[in-house]
Amino acid sequence: MVSRVIPVEAFDLVVFGGTGDLARRKILPGLFRRFVSGQMPKSAQIIAAARSDFDTSRFLDVVSASINEFAGIEFASEMLLAFLENVRYVKIDAMGSDGWDDLKGMMRGECVRAFYFSVSPALFGPLAERLKTFGIADDQSRVVVEKPFGRDLASARELNQTLAHHFREDQIYRIDHYLGKETVQNLMAVRFGNMLFEPLWNAQYIDHIQITVAEQIDVEGRGDYYDKSGAMRDMVQNHLMQLLCLIAMEPPSQFSPDAVRDEKLKVIRALDEVPPHHIVRGQYAAKETVPDYREQVGNRSSRTESYIALKAHIKNWRWAGTPFYLRTGKRLKSRVSEIAVVFKEPPHSIFEADSGQKSNTLVIRLQPDEGITMDVTIKEPGPGGMRLVTVPLDMTFAEALGPSADDIPDAYERLIMDVIRGNQTLFMRGDEVEAAWEWTDPIIEGWERRNDVPKPYDALTSGPDDALMLLHRDNRKWRAL
Ligand code: NAP
C-alpha cells in the first residue's frame, strides 16, 4: 500500500535563526524531504533570516550542504535545484530595525504566512513586535516557537503574555517534537480506534506505566544551556509530560485540537505532588575515556541533574493506585525512548507456577525502531507439555501497510506541514505549558531549598542505583535499557 501525500497550500515560511543548528539539521532538510515527496508545493517560499552576513546565493550553499548531510534520502540534483529556487536569505537583527522592509518586500500576497522562531526565547517578544510593527504578520499568520518555553511558571507566563500581545492563541504553535513522531500518533489510533484497549485502560487492569527517554549522548556543546536547566526542565516538563498526557488522558470527544488539548490539560492538573523520596536525581561520573558531567559543562561544582527518575500519581478515578514511573538521562547505556504499559497478572493462574506465564506489556517505542508491540503469552510450540512463552505481537504492521521506515516523515517535517494546514492538535497550548510548570516548579524549588546534590552514576550504565531501588521497593523492575 502506498501512502497518500496530500499537498498543502502555498505558503511563505520565514525561519528566524535560519543559520542555526536546528534550521540546518532539521528544519531545512525536513522541508526538502516534504518537497521531494510532493507535499510541499513548488510555489512555496522559504525565507531564512538571521544576523550573519550572507546573500541568498552564498546561503544556498549552506542549505545544499545541510541537505546533503542531513536529509537522509537519495535525490536527483535537479530536485535540489528546484527546491533552492524558492529559498531566500534576509539579514535581520531581531533587536534592530534593519532588514525588516526587505523581508516585507519578499512576502507574497495570497498564501499562508508562517514564522518559525528558531531562536532563543529572549527574541520571541522582539520578533513578534517587529513582525506586527512592520506590517509583515497579520491576524491570519502563524508563529512557531521552539523549546525551552520558559524555565519556570513565571517565565512561561511572561512568554505567553508577550506572544498573546501580538497573536491569538490559535496562531501560536508551541513545538514539542515528540508529539510529531509517527508512533505517538499511532498510540492515539490504537487507543481510540479499537474497542480492545480502552476497557482495560485503567487502574483495575494496568499495574504501572514506565516512560523512558534514555540518551547515550552527552550535552553536545550545549553545556552552558543544559547546566542551567537539567533533565527536569529540559526533558520531563515537556517531552515526558506530553507522553504521560497522551497515555493517561480520557478519550476526547473528537480528534480536534482543543478537544485533545483539554483532555491533556486535565491530566496535568490531576497530577499529585511528588514527595522527595519518589524522585532520584543523578549526575554522570567519568568512565574510561568518558569525562564526567561537571568537566563537560565546565562547572566543577555543578549540582544540575543529568538523570532523573520519579514516581508520579494521577488523582482521578481512572488512575488511582497506578504509578507512572518516568526516567530520562544522558550518557546512559543505550538510546531508547519508549512507553511501557504493564498490565496486571491474571487474577488466577490455571498453569503451574513455573510455566513461564508473564504479564502483558504494551510497548510504544519512539526510538530506535519506532513501533508498537504487545507482549502476549502463548504456548511454546512442541510436545513438551504446557510450557508458556511471551512473544511480541507487532501492531505497527509497517511491512504490510508501508511506507517504509525511510518514508515516514521526521517529527519536524510533519509538524511544519501541520502549521501550514493550520492544525494545532500536536502543539502545546499555553495553559498546558503553564500547568506543566506549576507541577514542576515545587519539585525544583525543593531541591534548591535543600541544596540537593544529585547522585553520581557511572556513564554508560542504567543510571543511579537509587533509581533501581525506586521500583524495587514497589516489587517492580525497570525495563532493561
Ligand atoms: P543556534 O545554533 O545557536 O542558532 C541560533 C540562531 O539564532 C542563529 O541562526 C543565529 O544566527 C540566530 N540569532 C541569534 N541572535 C539573533 C538576533 N539578534 N537576530 C536574529 N537572529 C539571531 O541555536 P539552535 O540550536 O538552532 O536553536 C534555536 C532554538 O531552538 C533555541 O531556542 C533552542 O533552544 C531550540 N531548540 C534547538 C534544538 C536543536 O537541536 N538545536 C532542539 C530543540 C530546541 P546569527 O548569529 O547569524 O544571527
Side-chain angles (χ1 to χ4, degrees):
M1 203 169 112
V2 177
S3 69
R4 276 180 307 145
V5 172
I6 302 168
V8 296
E9 285 176 65
F11 62 86
D12 279 352
L13 171 68
V14 181
V15 183
F16 291 103
T19 56
D21 175 70
L22 186 64
R24 281 183 292 110
R25 277 192 312 113
K26 292 286 181 187
I27 303 172
L28 295 165
L31 284 162
F32 176 65
R33 282 171 56 110
R34 291 297 89 210
F35 183 80
V36 172
S37 76
Q39 192 169 22
M40 176 176 146
K42 293 210 164 23
S43 58
Q45 179 179 225
I46 299 156
I47 304 170
R51 294 167 307 175
S52 296
D53 210 1
F54 286 110
D55 54 23
T56 290
S57 82
R58 271 187 54 223
F59 182 69
L60 293 186
D61 295 338
V62 175
V63 182
S64 303
S66 65
I67 286 172
N68 281 316
E69 188 173 353
F70 299 113
I73 47 168
E74 291 192 2
F75 55 86
S77 55
E78 301 80 55
M79 191 58 99
L80 179 57
L81 289 176
F83 176 77
L84 294 178
E85 263 175 39
N86 293 325
V87 181
R88 318 250 176 288
Y89 181 81
V90 59
K91 187 179 165 191
I92 274 187
D93 184 345
M95 307 298 283
S97 51
D98 288 349
W100 291 94
D101 285 326
D102 298 336
L103 176 59
K104 189 173 182 183
M106 290 176 177
M107 307 297 290
R108 298 166 308 166
E110 288 299 299
C111 68
V112 173
R113 280 188 183 187
F115 301 94
Y116 197 134
F117 293 0
S118 179
V119 292
S120 147
L123 299 179
F124 292 175
L127 285 176
E129 189 191 325
R130 283 164 180 75
L131 283 173
K132 279 300 181 70
T133 311
F134 284 89
I136 300 169
D138 60 20
D139 62 1
Q140 295 305 310
S141 305
R142 292 149 205 181
V143 290
V144 184
V145 294
E146 265 299 335
K147 84 169 208 190
F149 201 86
R151 54 174 285 106
D152 54 20
L153 176 59
S155 53
R157 259 193 195 142
E158 205 178 308
L159 270 182
N160 272 337
Q161 281 162 4
T162 304
L163 289 172
H165 197 66
H166 303 284
F167 298 101
R168 292 184 317 275
E169 181 61 33
D170 66 352
Q171 296 180 276
I172 303 169
Y173 291 72
R174 294 175 194 78
I175 284 221
D176 186 317
H177 69 274
Y178 274 60
L179 295 181
K181 291 190 181 283
E182 177 78 7
T183 307
V184 169
Q185 292 161 72
N186 204 1
L187 161 65
M188 289 191 271
V190 166
R191 259 195 83 183
F192 304 127
N194 296 287
M195 190 57 203
L196 207 56
F197 296 101
E198 214 36 41
L200 305 180
W201 209 259
N202 56 51
Q204 196 183 342
Y205 296 103
I206 293 180
D207 179 70
H208 72 280
I209 290 171
Q210 299 186 14
I211 303 181
T212 298
V213 179
E215 295 179 292
Q216 258 186 330
I217 51 167
D218 54 35
V219 292
E220 283 198 314
R222 291 161 68 230
D224 195 38
Y225 155 77
Y226 192 88
D227 201 41
K228 292 191 187 94
S229 306
M232 189 71 175
R233 287 191 172 99
D234 190 49
M235 298 298 291
V236 177
Q237 185 273 345
N238 38 64
H239 304 316
L240 277 83
M241 184 79 92
Q242 288 296 319
L243 299 180
L244 171 82
C245 286
L246 295 177
I247 279 283
M249 71 183 183
E250 296 298 316
S253 60
Q254 52 182 318
F255 192 60
S256 72
D258 278 332
V260 171
R261 296 183 304 174
D262 285 347
E263 296 306 335
K264 282 163 59 195
L265 179 63
K266 285 185 210 162
V267 173
I268 305 175
R269 292 203 169 137
L271 277 168
D272 212 348
E273 275 175 40
V274 186
H277 65 284
H278 285 178
I279 306 179
V280 178
R281 294 173 81 217
Q283 194 185 67
Y284 61 83
K287 187 171 176 194
E288 292 156 15
T289 55
V290 178
D292 68 5
Y293 172 84
R294 291 179 175 189
E295 185 178 331
Q296 242 160 1
V297 299
N299 176 6
R300 286 307 325 164
S301 55
S302 172
R303 292 182 167 191
T304 302
E305 76 285 355
S306 62
Y307 176 96
I308 189 159
L310 61 84
K311 175 161 85 163
H313 279 283
I314 298 172
K315 291 179 294 182
N316 63 20
W317 276 49
R318 187 187 281 266
W319 294 117
T322 294
F324 287 72
Y325 298 101
L326 276 50
R327 66 175 162 168
T328 180
K330 293 206 173 283
R331 273 293 187 222
L332 293 173
K333 203 179 194 170
S334 53
R335 171 176 172 255
V336 176
S337 296
E338 65 169 34
I339 306 168
V341 179
V342 182
F343 286 84
K344 291 187 173 168
E345 289 183 6
H348 165 71
S349 177
I350 62 168
F351 305 109
E352 289 174 14
D354 61 354
S355 62
Q357 185 174 355
K358 292 210 178 91
S359 50
N360 301 114
T361 303
L362 179 72
V363 179
I364 300 116
R365 189 172 264 245
L366 285 79
Q367 61 192 18
D369 311 324
E370 280 199 60
I372 301 185
T373 55
M374 177 86 181
D375 287 346
V376 290
T377 298
I378 59 164
K379 179 187 171 300
E380 190 177 292
M386 187 52 102
R387 286 196 312 265
L388 305 177
V389 283
T390 303
V391 292
L393 189 69
D394 187 344
M395 286 196 279
T396 316
F397 301 126
E399 275 181 27
L401 291 176
S404 74
D406 288 350
D407 297 332
I408 294 176
D410 170 75
Y412 275 95
E413 37 188 301
R414 178 194 309 274
L415 291 173
I416 296 172
M417 290 301 106
D418 276 357
V419 173
I420 306 304
R421 279 191 285 251
N423 187 339
Q424 288 184 305
T425 310
L426 300 174
F427 295 84
M428 295 179 294
R429 210 167 53 191
D431 51 2
E432 261 184 87
V433 179
E434 290 186 15
W437 281 120
E438 226 165 304
W439 180 75
T440 320
D441 272 5
I443 298 174
I444 298 174
E445 281 159 17
W447 298 335
E448 286 168 358
R449 218 176 29 250
R450 294 190 300 275
N451 273 331
D452 193 81
V453 181
K455 302 270 188 299
Y457 61 94
D458 283 344
L460 308 177
T461 63
S462 305
D465 290 344
D466 286 25
L468 303 182
M469 289 308 295
L470 182 70
L471 269 73
H472 188 71
R473 282 200 299 269
D474 297 345
N475 271 330
R476 299 187 176 105
K477 256 170 77 179
W478 288 110
R479 286 167 54 79
L481 285 185

